[in-house]
Amino acid sequence: MNKVKVFIEKCRDDAIIPTYANVGDAGMDVCSAEEVLINPGETKIIKTGLKFAIPKGYEIQVRPRSGISLKTPLRVPNSPGTIDSGYRDELGIIISNTSFKDKFEKENKIYDLNDKNNKNGVYKIKMGDRLAQLVLVEVPKIDFKIVDSVEGIGNDRGGGFGSTGI
């Protein structure tokens, strides 16, 4: 297994270093370093307390955790997000609460990541909550070659958006 050295700084004492849950996993869980309430319809950045120095030629992608996406109305809207090799500020995870405002007003309860069944309402992110996954990805650079036509280069599968059905 190829290992790439990525330097990490804890900019908060209680920040949690990401870890792989299982041998062979592609993603490692990244945790919240703060407590935040996210109202229905709101999008917030949740700080992780971590800074990275990623080698050139690589990025770290921020992806949703499947359980959160399935069981709550919380979403990572820019998925996959990219941490570029030159970024040195604290990592924040963008989270949107897609709860319906009209349903929330009737329930008026605060939920957390342990609540299931996509309940509508305010969600509380707690310190240490596993919010997203980080995946290290090698990033080759594009070398564009201007041509008169791309027709005849490689195979044209034909069709566009929705051409293979829904």
Side-chain angles (χ1 to χ4, degrees), residues 54-73:
I54 303 163
K56 284 185 181 176
Y58 289 88
E59 68 167 323
I60 291 179
Q61 292 183 354
V62 179
R63 301 179 184 181
R65 294 188 65 236
S66 58
I68 292 174
S69 294
L70 177 65
K71 298 174 183 178
T72 76

Side-chain angles (χ1 to χ4, degrees), residues 139-145:
V139 184
K141 294 296 177 199
I142 295 174
D143 182 15
F144 286 111
K145 170 86 172 111

Side-chain angles (χ1 to χ4, degrees), residues 4 26 41 45 63-64 85 94 113 116-117 157:
V4 176
I45 295 175
R63 301 179 184 181
S85 63
I94 302 171
L113 297 186
K116 311 296 185 225
N117 300 321
R157 67 173 181 86

Side-chain angles (χ1 to χ4, degrees), residues 41 45 69 108 124 159 161 164:
I45 295 175
S69 294
N108 202 18
K124 181 180 192 175
F161 293 102
T164 60

Side-chain angles (χ1 to χ4, degrees), residues 4 11 13 17 19 21-22 25 38 43 51 55 89 91 98 103 127-128 132 156-157 163:
V4 176
C11 50
D13 289 338
I17 303 297
T19 57
N22 298 291
D25 285 355
I38 308 176
T43 298
K51 295 180 180 183
D89 289 331
L91 171 62
T98 63
K103 289 187 179 181
M127 293 269 305
D156 181 355
R157 67 173 181 86
S163 65

Side-chain angles (χ1 to χ4, degrees), residues 103-159:
K103 289 187 179 181
F104 161 67
E105 291 168 2
K106 295 174 188 168
E107 296 173 20
N108 202 18
K109 183 176 186 308
I110 297 177
Y111 300 103
D112 63 30
L113 297 186
N114 294 315
D115 289 298
K116 311 296 185 225
N117 300 321
N118 282 300
K119 296 177 180 167
N120 284 285
V122 175
Y123 273 78
K124 181 180 192 175
I125 303 298
K126 298 179 284 191
M127 293 269 305
D129 276 350
R130 296 179 297 149
L131 288 181
Q133 296 182 71
L134 303 181
V135 177
L136 181 68
V137 179
E138 192 168 6
V139 184
K141 294 296 177 199
I142 295 174
D143 182 15
F144 286 111
K145 170 86 172 111
I146 298 173
V147 295
D148 292 330
S149 172
V150 296
E151 206 168 302
I153 299 173
N155 295 323
D156 181 355
R157 67 173 181 86

